[in-house]
Amino acid sequence: MRISEIPVPEVRPGWVLVKIQAIGLNHSEALLRMFEIENDYIRKPIVPGIECAGVVADAMEESRFSEGDWVIAMMGGMGRSFNGSYAEYALLPEQNVFWVNTTDRTEPWDWISLAAVPETYFTAYGSLTECLLLNDHDTLLVRGATSTVGQAAIQLGKAMDANVIAACRKEKDFDRLKAIGADVCVLDDGHLAESLPSEMRPKTRSWNSSGRPLCRIRSGASRSRAMSATRASSETSSPSSISTPSNTSPTACSSRASSAISRHRKSSIRCLN
C-alpha cells in the first residue's frame, strides 16, 4: 500500500461525493492487503476502506442528500469494486450512505466515534434481523457481550423489545452491560446453559459475537433453534438514518438509531449466539 495523489471524483446519478472525516479499520482490509487483492473481483489499483463518516461534498440535484449533510457509509463494494474510504474524498453509492441527524444534539458529534458505528452496528443489526429474525419479546442471548459487536447487539436487541441476556467471562463487567440494556448477565464459564434463568431456558437463539455464526445451547429437553447464518429475509431492511437524543453517547445512540426496524414480530423465546 502506498500514498498517492488522485483526482477528486465527480458526482454522478445515484452516487454522492463524501469528504471523509474519519474511517474505521477492519480485519477485512488487512486480508485485502495480505492476499485478497490477488483475486479478479478486486479492482486494481484500489483505494481500500469499507466504512467511513463524513460530510456530503456534492450530490446530484435529484439526490436525497444535500451538500453539508453528515453521513456514515459502509460496504456495497467500497474498497473492492470501487475506491473506498482511505482517501480525503470518496464517491459512494447512495444506497450505502446513511444520513446522520445532527439537529437534536446539544454537543457536536465525535467523528472518530461516529466512524465506529457502521460496520459494528450493521453487523449486529443484520445478525438480529436477517439471520435470527428476532421478534418482540424474544429472549436474546449475546455471547462475547463485552466486545464491540456484542454491545451493539445488546442495545439493538433492547431497542427491538427483546429480553436480553448478556454472557461474558468477568462478573465485573455486569454493571456496564446492564447500563447499556442487558436485562440479565451471566458468566460464560463453560456451564452457560445451567446459568440461564429457568424462565428463559425454553427455545432460544444464541449469537456469538466472536464470529461463530451458530451454536446450540441445550437446557433440559429443549434446545435452541438452529438457523443458518447465511439466511436472509426479504422482509427486513436497513435503517436509512442515524438519529439520537442529545443526552446519549455516539455508541449508545447508534444502536437506538438502528431501531428503525421492521416490526414483523411474533412472541417466543429465542437466543442469539
Side-chain angles (χ1 to χ4, degrees), residues 2-261:
R2 67 180 186 277
I3 298 175
S4 60
E5 296 285 335
I6 60 175
V8 175
E10 294 186 4
V11 71
R12 61 178 188 265
W15 296 65
V16 293
L17 182 65
V18 176
K19 181 173 176 56
I20 307 298
Q21 299 294 327
I23 65 172
L25 298 178
N26 296 275
H27 184 59
S28 64
E29 292 148 12
L31 297 179
L32 175 72
R33 296 195 298 272
M34 287 190 290
F35 61 83
E36 192 180 13
I37 190 67
E38 303 298 331
N39 290 296
D40 292 338
Y41 59 82
I42 303 294
R43 199 195 77 179
K44 306 172 193 59
I46 192 74
V47 175
I50 65 170
E51 66 177 339
C52 66
V55 177
V56 172
D58 197 8
M60 302 295 291
E61 186 175 347
E62 65 274 15
S63 174
R64 60 190 174 94
F65 294 102
S66 301
E67 184 176 347
D69 284 349
W70 285 37
V71 294
I72 58 173
M74 61 173 289
M75 305 293 286
M78 287 178 64
R80 286 171 168 75
S81 302
F82 54 88
N83 285 340
S85 59
Y86 286 19
E88 293 180 85
Y89 291 88
L91 185 64
L92 305 173
E94 283 196 8
Q95 64 184 9
N96 297 95
V97 179
F98 302 87
W99 178 71
V100 177
N101 182 357
T102 60
T103 60
D104 296 334
R105 293 186 60 81
T106 57
E107 298 180 2
W109 280 101
D110 171 0
W111 282 113
I112 294 176
S113 297
L114 191 57
V117 169
E119 183 71 3
T120 298
Y121 280 91
F122 280 72
T123 295
Y125 177 85
S127 297
L128 292 170
T129 61
E130 297 191 0
C131 297
L132 294 179
L133 305 181
L134 189 69
N135 298 321
D136 287 347
H137 310 301
D138 283 350
T139 292
L140 174 66
L141 171 63
V142 181
R143 302 185 67 186
T146 55
S147 69
T148 54
V149 179
Q151 292 180 63
I154 290 170
Q155 294 172 310
L156 283 168
K158 199 61 188 173
M160 296 166 68
D161 296 327
N163 300 309
V164 181
I165 306 173
C168 62
R169 297 183 182 277
K170 297 178 181 178
E171 192 171 350
K172 68 180 180 64
D173 293 318
F174 284 7
D175 288 344
R176 176 161 60 99
L177 296 174
K178 288 181 178 178
I180 62 173
D183 296 294
V184 176
C185 294
V186 295
L187 286 175
D188 198 347
D189 56 2
H191 304 282
L192 185 55
E194 291 80 359
S195 300
L196 296 179
S198 57
E199 68 275 13
M200 294 182 175
R201 289 186 184 180
K203 191 183 297 182
T204 339
R205 289 183 189 171
S206 169
W207 174 65
N208 187 331
S209 65
S210 65
R212 286 187 299 156
L214 177 69
C215 78
R216 294 183 177 180
I217 294 182
R218 296 182 180 275
S219 53
S222 63
R223 67 181 184 184
S224 64
R225 286 178 61 180
M227 175 169 279
S228 167
T230 59
R231 179 177 177 180
S233 169
S234 61
E235 298 176 342
T236 59
S237 60
S238 298
S240 59
S241 68
I242 298 295
S243 176
T244 153
S246 59
N247 62 348
T248 53
S249 68
T251 302
C253 84
S254 51
S255 69
R256 295 183 179 90
S258 293
S259 62
I261 297 166

